mmCIF file of all heavy atoms in Angstrom:
data_model
loop_
_atom_site.group_PDB
_atom_site.id
_atom_site.type_symbol
_atom_site.label_atom_id
_atom_site.label_comp_id
_atom_site.label_asym_id
_atom_site.label_seq_id
_atom_site.Cartn_x
_atom_site.Cartn_y
_atom_site.Cartn_z
ATOM 1 N N ASN Q 253 10.374 -25.361 24.464
ATOM 2 C CA ASN Q 253 10.782 -25.737 23.116
ATOM 3 C C ASN Q 253 10.732 -27.234 22.854
ATOM 4 O O ASN Q 253 11.250 -27.720 21.858
ATOM 5 C CB ASN Q 253 12.195 -25.219 22.828
ATOM 6 C CG ASN Q 253 12.245 -23.713 22.929
ATOM 7 O OD1 ASN Q 253 11.417 -23.029 22.338
ATOM 8 N ND2 ASN Q 253 13.185 -23.194 23.699
ATOM 9 N N LEU Q 254 10.109 -27.958 23.777
ATOM 10 C CA LEU Q 254 9.979 -29.405 23.604
ATOM 11 C C LEU Q 254 9.146 -29.707 22.366
ATOM 12 O O LEU Q 254 8.156 -29.041 22.100
ATOM 13 C CB LEU Q 254 9.294 -30.001 24.838
ATOM 14 C CG LEU Q 254 9.091 -31.513 24.838
ATOM 15 C CD1 LEU Q 254 10.425 -32.224 24.990
ATOM 16 C CD2 LEU Q 254 8.138 -31.919 25.957
ATOM 17 N N ARG Q 255 9.558 -30.717 21.606
ATOM 18 C CA ARG Q 255 8.776 -31.096 20.429
ATOM 19 C C ARG Q 255 8.094 -32.431 20.656
ATOM 20 O O ARG Q 255 8.682 -33.359 21.222
ATOM 21 C CB ARG Q 255 9.684 -31.142 19.209
ATOM 22 C CG ARG Q 255 10.145 -29.749 18.801
ATOM 23 C CD ARG Q 255 11.201 -29.772 17.733
ATOM 24 N NE ARG Q 255 10.619 -30.057 16.428
ATOM 25 C CZ ARG Q 255 11.202 -29.695 15.285
ATOM 26 N NH1 ARG Q 255 12.339 -29.025 15.293
ATOM 27 N NH2 ARG Q 255 10.650 -29.985 14.127
ATOM 28 N N LEU Q 256 6.868 -32.523 20.163
ATOM 29 C CA LEU Q 256 6.093 -33.750 20.301
ATOM 30 C C LEU Q 256 6.839 -34.945 19.701
ATOM 31 O O LEU Q 256 6.841 -36.040 20.271
ATOM 32 C CB LEU Q 256 4.721 -33.550 19.633
ATOM 33 C CG LEU Q 256 3.757 -34.724 19.592
ATOM 34 C CD1 LEU Q 256 3.538 -35.320 20.967
ATOM 35 C CD2 LEU Q 256 2.421 -34.284 18.990
ATOM 36 N N ALA Q 257 7.499 -34.720 18.562
ATOM 37 C CA ALA Q 257 8.225 -35.813 17.906
ATOM 38 C C ALA Q 257 9.356 -36.345 18.785
ATOM 39 O O ALA Q 257 9.721 -37.513 18.693
ATOM 40 C CB ALA Q 257 8.781 -35.346 16.560
ATOM 41 N N GLU Q 258 9.903 -35.485 19.634
ATOM 42 C CA GLU Q 258 10.974 -35.902 20.542
ATOM 43 C C GLU Q 258 10.411 -36.826 21.627
ATOM 44 O O GLU Q 258 10.996 -37.852 21.960
ATOM 45 C CB GLU Q 258 11.576 -34.649 21.173
ATOM 46 C CG GLU Q 258 12.819 -34.884 21.980
ATOM 47 C CD GLU Q 258 13.348 -33.579 22.580
ATOM 48 O OE1 GLU Q 258 12.978 -32.486 22.090
ATOM 49 O OE2 GLU Q 258 14.116 -33.662 23.554
ATOM 50 N N VAL Q 259 9.251 -36.435 22.161
ATOM 51 C CA VAL Q 259 8.601 -37.236 23.199
ATOM 52 C C VAL Q 259 8.196 -38.592 22.647
ATOM 53 O O VAL Q 259 8.429 -39.637 23.270
ATOM 54 C CB VAL Q 259 7.368 -36.483 23.748
ATOM 55 C CG1 VAL Q 259 6.597 -37.357 24.724
ATOM 56 C CG2 VAL Q 259 7.803 -35.181 24.408
ATOM 57 N N LEU Q 260 7.617 -38.579 21.450
ATOM 58 C CA LEU Q 260 7.220 -39.841 20.827
ATOM 59 C C LEU Q 260 8.456 -40.709 20.563
ATOM 60 O O LEU Q 260 8.426 -41.923 20.783
ATOM 61 C CB LEU Q 260 6.460 -39.572 19.521
ATOM 62 C CG LEU Q 260 6.016 -40.829 18.772
ATOM 63 C CD1 LEU Q 260 5.085 -41.685 19.622
ATOM 64 C CD2 LEU Q 260 5.348 -40.459 17.448
ATOM 65 N N GLY Q 261 9.534 -40.084 20.122
ATOM 66 C CA GLY Q 261 10.774 -40.816 19.859
ATOM 67 C C GLY Q 261 11.286 -41.524 21.102
ATOM 68 O O GLY Q 261 11.671 -42.700 21.053
ATOM 69 N N GLU Q 262 11.265 -40.818 22.231
ATOM 70 C CA GLU Q 262 11.722 -41.440 23.481
ATOM 71 C C GLU Q 262 10.844 -42.631 23.870
ATOM 72 O O GLU Q 262 11.327 -43.656 24.358
ATOM 73 C CB GLU Q 262 11.732 -40.405 24.606
ATOM 74 C CG GLU Q 262 12.967 -39.518 24.540
ATOM 75 C CD GLU Q 262 12.819 -38.243 25.348
ATOM 76 O OE1 GLU Q 262 11.899 -38.154 26.182
ATOM 77 O OE2 GLU Q 262 13.642 -37.319 25.120
ATOM 78 N N LEU Q 263 9.556 -42.468 23.616
ATOM 79 C CA LEU Q 263 8.612 -43.549 23.915
ATOM 80 C C LEU Q 263 8.901 -44.766 23.038
ATOM 81 O O LEU Q 263 8.855 -45.911 23.502
ATOM 82 C CB LEU Q 263 7.189 -43.019 23.665
ATOM 83 C CG LEU Q 263 6.018 -43.812 24.189
ATOM 84 C CD1 LEU Q 263 6.107 -43.999 25.691
ATOM 85 C CD2 LEU Q 263 4.714 -43.098 23.821
ATOM 86 N N LEU Q 264 9.197 -44.514 21.760
ATOM 87 C CA LEU Q 264 9.488 -45.622 20.843
ATOM 88 C C LEU Q 264 10.769 -46.342 21.249
ATOM 89 O O LEU Q 264 10.840 -47.581 21.208
ATOM 90 C CB LEU Q 264 9.599 -45.105 19.400
ATOM 91 C CG LEU Q 264 8.290 -44.610 18.777
ATOM 92 C CD1 LEU Q 264 8.550 -43.913 17.438
ATOM 93 C CD2 LEU Q 264 7.297 -45.758 18.598
ATOM 94 N N ILE Q 265 11.775 -45.569 21.673
ATOM 95 C CA ILE Q 265 13.025 -46.183 22.133
ATOM 96 C C ILE Q 265 12.753 -47.042 23.366
ATOM 97 O O ILE Q 265 13.183 -48.187 23.462
ATOM 98 C CB ILE Q 265 14.085 -45.098 22.448
ATOM 99 C CG1 ILE Q 265 14.561 -44.442 21.147
ATOM 100 C CG2 ILE Q 265 15.268 -45.689 23.220
ATOM 101 C CD1 ILE Q 265 15.435 -43.226 21.348
#
Side-chain angles (χ1 to χ4, degrees):
Chain Q
N253 300 310
L254 181 70
R255 290 171 77 156
L256 177 53
E258 188 180 341
V259 174
L260 179 60
E262 280 163 15
L263 194 58
L264 291 171
I265 290 171

